[in-house]
Amino acid sequence: MGLIISVMALIISLFAGLSFPISQQLTFSLSESAKTIILKVRIPRFLAAYFVGAGLAIAGLTMQSALNNALASPSVIGIHGGAGFFTLLAALIFPYYLHARMFFAFIGALVSALAVYGISHQAGVSKTTLLLAGLAVSSLMSGFVNAMITFFPETVGDKVAFNLGGFSTVITSQLYFAIPVIIIAIVILLKLSRGIDLLLLGDEMATSLGINVGYLRLGLIVLVALLSGVSVAISGLISFVGLIVPHIVRRMTKADTKVHIIACGLFGGSFLVYSDLLAKYLFYPYELPVGLLLSMIGAPFFIYLLIHKKRKLKL
């Protein structure tokens, strides 16, 4: 099912809105201008949205599993903010090196993740403490991002697009490095899926079954930072994908973590592609930042989880 939805997302994203006869679109006998639009604009945009969506959804699933907190996601606990700040820092120091931005974004995401994890442990490990620590780190990083944009506006071409996230400025050269990194991180997580299953049973049970909980949790946080950092470097600060998609996947299937990772990749990629299409054509010819649309969907969803899952999550 997820594969079918992904294929439909690809077809719609490539041909939606093209002013060419349907017979030409079905037979791919398009004019040169149509081919240029598809090859140079639409395919890179689809690939960026799909792999960013897959990466963020899997990062959210992994973060929730690693911290045993259903409300954890890279955007909620400040990881995106750290990646965004370090992306702008790289743009200031290395303005002509796109790969440097992705590396810096990974470092920023990792710093934020470890900061949240460390603060929550110092303050007393609980799900509420984790969320509060994430909120503090997120606010701090958001302040750094806004300060960078204010004092060094040349670090970002479009302040609104970066803060809300979008794919209108994606270029193909960004994807040559980003897509392999996302795929490698996902493959590693699939290899670690059995350990994640055991981690969900509780630290004591996982330890008794031969899992080094500390090293596994640290490795998962690094992989989450890698997925989040690369995604932010491509799309800006897109929120809530890592919160919404894992919950939908868990409702659809009660399978193990390996199946959940694959499902989150398929549905997360498709979800962000469809969201991008909706943001693009909802008020055509004006285009909304896809992050704005996702915030309007994600914030009520987060409130729903807080209210209706309070007893189950033991907040």
Side-chain angles (χ1 to χ4, degrees), residues 177-191:
F177 178 78
I179 290 177
V181 169
I182 292 173
I183 291 174
I184 291 170
I186 293 172
V187 170
I188 295 173
L189 284 171
L190 288 171
K191 294 287 187 181

Side-chain angles (χ1 to χ4, degrees), residues 126-298:
S126 74
K127 295 176 181 180
T128 303
T129 303
L130 179 70
L131 291 176
L132 292 175
L135 178 62
V137 172
S138 180
S139 298
L140 179 64
M141 292 300 174
S142 178
F144 285 153
V145 167
N146 288 324
M148 284 287 292
I149 292 174
T150 300
F151 293 108
F152 305 100
E154 68 275 9
T155 57
V156 59
D158 188 334
K159 178 177 73 172
V160 174
F162 182 80
N163 275 327
L164 294 177
F167 301 98
S168 59
T169 60
V170 168
I171 56 177
T172 306
S173 60
Q174 288 178 295
L175 305 179
Y176 293 149
F177 178 78
I179 290 177
V181 169
I182 292 173
I183 291 174
I184 291 170
I186 293 172
V187 170
I188 295 173
L189 284 171
L190 288 171
K191 294 287 187 181
L192 295 175
S193 60
R194 180 182 174 275
I196 298 174
D197 285 330
L198 297 178
L199 194 61
L200 291 171
L201 298 175
D203 288 5
E204 290 185 6
M205 179 65 73
T207 301
S208 67
L209 293 172
I211 299 296
N212 189 320
V213 172
Y215 281 117
L216 177 58
R217 185 169 281 126
L218 178 60
L220 294 178
I221 290 174
V222 170
L223 290 169
V224 167
L226 185 61
L227 289 170
S228 301
V230 171
S231 298
V232 168
I234 294 174
S235 63
L237 302 176
I238 289 179
S239 301
F240 292 112
V241 176
L243 180 68
I244 296 173
V245 175
H247 282 278
I248 294 174
V249 167
R250 288 194 184 100
R251 282 179 174 271
M252 293 176 60
T253 174
K254 301 299 182 181
D256 59 14
T257 298
K258 180 175 289 187
V259 174
H260 282 163
I261 290 173
I262 296 171
C264 277
L266 293 172
F267 283 101
S270 301
F271 175 75
L272 194 50
V273 170
Y274 285 123
S275 298
D276 185 46
L277 287 169
L278 187 60
K280 185 177 180 181
Y281 292 111
L282 188 61
F283 296 105
Y284 187 81
Y286 304 103
E287 180 177 337
L288 290 176
V290 66
L292 175 61
L293 182 65
L294 289 172
S295 294
M296 295 171 66
I297 298 171

Side-chain angles (χ1 to χ4, degrees), residues 15-39:
F15 297 109
L18 285 179
S19 55
F20 299 96
I22 189 66
S23 59
Q24 291 186 16
Q25 297 184 28
L26 291 174
T27 59
F28 295 95
S29 57
L30 302 174
S31 65
E32 289 302 318
S33 60
K35 290 179 181 178
T36 300
I37 292 172
I38 291 174
L39 293 174

